[in-house]
Amino acid sequence: MTEPTLSRPGRPRDPERMRRVIDAASRQFLEQGFERTSMDAVARESGVSKMTIYSYFPTKAALFEAVIGQRTDTVFDLDAGETLEPRAPAATLSVIGRRFLALMRADEVMGRHRVLFAAAGIQHEACAAFFRQGPEKLIGGVRDYLDQAVAAGALRPHDTRVAADQFLSLFLGGSHIRAMLGLGKPSPEEDARLVQANVDLFMRAYGML
Amino acid sequence: MTEPTLSRPGRPRDPERMRRVIDAASRQFLEQGFERTSMDAVARESGVSKMTIYSYFPTKAALFEAVIGQRTDTVFDLDAGETLEPRAPAATLSVIGRRFLALMRADEVMGRHRVLFAAAGIQHEACAAFFRQGPEKLIGGVRDYLDQAVAAGALRPHDTRVAADQFLSLFLGGSHIRAMLGLGKPSPEEDARLVQANVDLFMRAYGML
DNA sequence: ACTTTACTATACGGTCAAGTATCGTGACGG
DNA sequence: CCGTCACGATACTTGACCGTATAGTAAAGT
């Protein structure tokens, strides 16, 4: 095994550089897509020379996969005062819904979806990794919560895997498609109403009484 | 006004050619995306020379828009025996759900979504036209049915615009994302269960009783 | 026949971008 | 201080591809 601080002769690599490259590449790829992003533009925007970039990533596709590998999953990160209380599913699902919506409205996340959809069939590995660590993980998180709520007697027993998928799906309707097409995002008020409507629907179907 | 059979001097245009061009361009654009599709490939696959293509469409983007302009909306086309009966919403929503799912599973439709998402911000007009004639029209169709069902006393009164969006959204969850990423489509049995689960959810929330 | 238009085939110009090669400089270890 | 590696700058090679130009053939009207 190579030591983490393996002292090789010569100048060591500057880890900051790779970060700058991936940052710039993220912006470019997620805004413009794979094909429309040029390595020269990444070099210019990151301030790192193209040769150095190629010393880290042998090809453009490799840089792309490194960008896709970046995760930022904040849906289940809780602020103070917000808890995933199994006994209050309506309130908790509202919190989850708001978080999920905020996630899906982020330019970076929409860009990631766009670029990966466009890469379907071409970048199979990147797509598969994204699905596992994105949608599947989120559905699993919601499912875990639903299981707790059912166990606590706050929700009717049901197939929680299906229900978790359904709950999140409700946020991917017209307003989401509209935003994905670059036709404008809904206002915060509209999104708040959407959360309310979706939680209402869900609670009517799966709530007690 | 020019007569439909305006007899101009010279050889008339062969309408079949344009159809072949759009067919070939559809396959290419919807499979590979805009950037990865070359005009030479369209010419080769359609059997129409590149010069002729450019005599119909001044630019690649124009051909792209012509392809996007093609519609095939079969959700509300009814076979014999299937009706949109306002008094039986569960059965009718199952029919609509099956149709919608069949539509969303079609390679051509998934390709269209992929390529338009990728074109967000670049091909604004094509995106806007698609949204109006695709999602918005479908939601409107479902809404019209829900209005009828509410009027017939078969569904509880509610915001039918929101509910229509919710109903269709339910089909855009994990399995749809998985398919859009090129990771494989669900089996017909899974899709049938999805329709059942979504209709159940919807009827629990909005059904009478 | 003659004109006019549609179409094919092919080659070309120009641009853009991926990846490489070269030279020079800076940083670190021994 | 010297070898080694990291990095910048820049020019270059190579190929793809959009859009056009040219020359010739096919099909229609007059």
Side-chain angles (χ1 to χ4, degrees):
Chain A
M1 291 293 114
T2 61
E3 284 291 301
T5 337
L6 172 58
S7 183
R8 287 188 307 167
R11 176 179 176 176
R13 287 194 153 182
D14 181 359
E16 173 67 11
R17 272 189 167 64
M18 178 139 120
R19 224 185 50 75
R20 290 217 315 263
V21 170
I22 291 192
D23 279 3
S26 285
R27 279 192 296 276
Q28 297 274 333
F29 279 137
L30 301 186
E31 264 173 34
Q32 318 247 357
F34 181 80
E35 336 276 344
R36 302 176 67 89
T37 295
S38 80
M39 295 298 269
D40 293 86
V42 173
R44 203 175 332 120
E45 193 175 315
S46 66
V48 176
S49 94
K50 199 161 65 154
M51 282 307 296
T52 303
I53 295 177
Y54 274 102
S55 85
Y56 280 102
F57 307 100
T59 180
K60 186 181 175 181
L63 175 57
F64 177 76
E65 288 186 31
V67 166
I68 294 305
Q70 301 278 94
R71 331 190 196 327
T72 42
D73 179 351
T74 62
V75 173
F76 293 102
D77 297 350
L78 297 178
D79 292 342
E82 291 177 328
T83 61
L84 296 185
E85 175 55 58
R87 294 168 186 273
T92 305
L93 288 173
S94 289
V95 172
I96 295 176
R98 275 196 295 275
R99 301 261 179 166
F100 181 61
L101 214 41
L103 180 73
M104 296 307 289
R105 297 286 184 253
D107 289 327
E108 183 206 331
V109 174
M110 286 200 300
R112 191 169 298 224
H113 278 80
R114 287 191 192 106
V115 80
L116 280 167
F117 287 156
I122 297 144
Q123 302 270 0
H124 188 276
E125 197 41 53
C127 289
F130 169 77
F131 185 74
R132 282 193 304 270
Q133 294 148 9
E136 216 160 56
K137 209 170 172 182
L138 286 173
I139 294 171
V142 173
R143 179 193 186 166
D144 289 345
Y145 172 73
L146 294 179
D147 282 333
Q148 293 174 35
V150 167
L155 286 182
R156 292 178 38 245
H158 58 281
D159 186 333
T160 53
R161 159 74 201 184
V162 168
D165 194 1
Q166 285 175 322
F167 179 70
L168 293 179
S169 303
L170 287 169
F171 296 92
L172 305 180
S175 59
H176 177 245
I177 294 176
R178 189 184 175 82
M180 283 286 285
L181 290 169
L183 304 176
K185 301 179 189 177
S187 68
E189 291 77 24
E190 287 172 298
D191 274 349
R193 281 196 292 275
L194 181 59
V195 171
Q196 188 65 49
N198 290 345
V199 171
D200 284 351
L201 174 71
F202 193 86
M203 289 305 295
R204 257 193 239 280
Y206 293 122
M208 300 305 287
L209 198 192
Chain B
M1 288 298 111
T2 60
E3 284 290 303
T5 336
L6 172 57
S7 185
R8 286 189 307 167
R11 177 177 176 177
R13 288 194 152 183
D14 182 357
E16 173 68 9
R17 272 186 167 67
M18 179 138 118
R19 225 185 48 76
R20 291 216 315 263
V21 170
I22 292 192
D23 280 3
S26 286
R27 280 192 296 275
Q28 297 273 335
F29 279 137
L30 302 186
E31 264 174 33
Q32 318 246 356
F34 181 79
E35 336 276 345
R36 302 175 67 90
T37 296
S38 80
M39 296 297 270
D40 293 86
V42 173
R44 205 176 332 130
E45 192 175 315
S46 65
V48 176
S49 93
K50 199 162 61 153
M51 284 304 296
T52 302
I53 295 177
Y54 274 101
S55 84
Y56 281 102
F57 307 99
T59 180
K60 187 182 175 181
L63 175 57
F64 178 76
E65 288 185 31
V67 166
I68 294 306
Q70 300 278 95
R71 331 193 195 326
T72 41
D73 179 351
T74 60
V75 172
F76 293 101
D77 296 350
L78 297 178
D79 291 342
E82 290 177 329
T83 61
L84 296 185
E85 174 54 59
R87 295 169 183 270
T92 305
L93 288 173
S94 289
V95 171
I96 294 176
R98 274 195 295 275
R99 301 261 177 164
F100 181 61
L101 215 40
L103 179 72
M104 297 307 289
R105 297 286 185 252
D107 288 328
E108 184 206 330
V109 174
M110 287 200 299
R112 191 168 299 221
H113 278 80
R114 288 191 192 107
V115 81
L116 281 168
F117 287 156
I122 296 144
Q123 304 268 358
H124 188 275
E125 199 39 56
C127 289
F130 169 77
F131 185 72
R132 282 193 304 270
Q133 295 149 9
E136 216 160 55
K137 208 170 174 182
L138 286 173
I139 294 171
V142 173
R143 180 193 185 165
D144 289 345
Y145 172 72
L146 294 180
D147 282 334
Q148 293 175 34
V150 168
L155 286 181
R156 291 180 37 245
H158 57 283
D159 186 332
T160 52
R161 158 76 200 184
V162 168
D165 194 2
Q166 286 175 322
F167 180 69
L168 293 179
S169 302
L170 287 168
F171 296 93
L172 305 180
S175 59
H176 177 246
I177 294 176
R178 189 185 176 82
M180 282 286 286
L181 289 169
L183 304 176
K185 300 180 190 176
S187 69
E189 292 76 23
E190 287 172 297
D191 274 348
R193 280 196 293 274
L194 181 59
V195 171
Q196 188 65 49
N198 290 346
V199 172
D200 284 352
L201 174 71
F202 193 87
M203 289 305 294
R204 255 192 241 281
Y206 293 121
M208 301 304 286
L209 192 196

